[in-house]
Amino acid sequence: MDLGIIGQAAGLFAVTNIDDIVVLALFFAQGAGYRASTRRIVLGQYLGFAAILAVAVAAAFGATFLPESVIPYLGLLPLALGLKAAWQAWSHRRDGGTDDGGTDEEGEQAKDGGPSPLEVAAVTFANGGDNIGVYVPVFATAGIGGMSAYAVVFLALVAVWCFAGRFFATRSVIAEALARWGHILLPLVLIAIGLVILVEGGAFGL
C-alpha cells in the first residue's frame, strides 16, 4: 500500500471526523458502568461509518442511493435522538434520580443500559452525511486500488477514534465532568448537530 495514499487517507479522515471524538466521548460516558456498552458503541460507530463508505463508494461508481437533496434531512436523526435523550434526562430528574436498589431483574437491566448500536450508528451516519460529498470525488479519481486503500485506512482509524473517545471519557477530570453534566451535554450536542445539518443543508427551506 502506497505510503502517500495512507497519509492522504489519514489526513482526510481526521479533517472530516474530528467532531466524532466529542460525540464518542459523550456516548462512552453515557454507557459508563453498563455491561458491554463499549462493544455496542464501537459496533454502532463501525455500522454508521460503513454506511457512509458504502454510499460514497456507490456514488463514486455512479450509483446514487442517497440523493444530494436528502442529505440535509439526515439532521432529523441526531435531532430526534437528542430530544429523546433530553426527555430521558428530564424524566430521571423529575423522578428524583435516586437508586433504591430495585430488584435483581432491574439491576440486570441496568447493566445492559447505555446507547444502542443503532443509536450510535444513526448519529455517526447523519453527522458524516456531508463527508460523502468530500469522499466521492476522491474515490472516483483514486481507482479501485486507491479506493480500497482509503477504505482500509478509514476503517482502521475508526478504531483509533473509538479508543480516543473512550480515553477522554475515562480521564478522571473529564470523567467527573461528564458524569455530572453528560446527561445535559449529550442531548445538547445531538440537537446542535441535527440543527446544524438541517440549517446548513437548507432543509425545510431554512
Side-chain angles (χ1 to χ4, degrees):
M1 190 180 294
D2 186 84
L3 291 178
I5 291 182
I6 293 176
Q8 292 170 16
L12 182 61
F13 181 92
V15 168
T16 54
N17 293 282
I18 191 66
D19 53 338
D20 274 358
I21 294 181
V22 176
V23 179
L24 279 168
L26 288 168
F27 276 137
F28 280 117
Q30 186 188 40
Y34 292 116
R35 183 176 59 189
S37 66
T38 296
R39 182 174 20 180
R40 290 196 296 272
I41 294 168
V42 172
L43 174 60
Q45 184 72 5
Y46 266 102
L47 286 174
F49 196 81
I52 292 172
L53 272 183
V55 173
V57 169
F61 281 112
T64 307
F65 295 139
L66 191 66
E68 188 174 344
S69 60
V70 172
I71 291 179
Y73 295 93
L74 292 176
L76 292 172
L77 293 173
L79 179 60
L81 291 172
L83 292 173
K84 175 187 173 184
W87 170 257
Q88 290 174 336
W90 182 80
S91 298
H92 181 70
R93 183 175 181 179
R94 183 187 60 184
D95 295 338
T98 57
D99 183 6
D100 58 3
T103 64
D104 291 340
E105 182 179 354
E106 289 171 341
E108 189 66 23
Q109 290 174 344
K111 292 179 182 177
D112 291 328
S116 72
L118 289 180
E119 288 176 335
V120 177
V123 173
T124 301
F125 184 73
N127 196 31
D130 56 342
N131 294 3
I132 296 172
V134 178
Y135 296 161
V136 170
V138 175
F139 287 176
T141 57
I144 295 179
M147 195 184 305
S148 300
Y150 272 96
V152 170
V153 173
F154 282 2
L155 292 175
L157 288 176
V158 169
V160 175
W161 250 234
C162 289
F163 174 83
R166 191 173 188 280
F167 175 83
F168 287 122
T170 55
R171 297 308 91 191
S172 57
V173 175
I174 299 176
E176 289 175 8
L178 291 178
R180 183 173 183 180
W181 301 106
H183 65 291
I184 297 175
L185 288 175
L186 180 61
L188 285 179
V189 168
L190 294 181
I191 290 171
I193 288 174
L195 290 176
V196 167
I197 294 172
L198 290 170
V199 172
E200 288 189 347
F204 304 112
L206 297 173

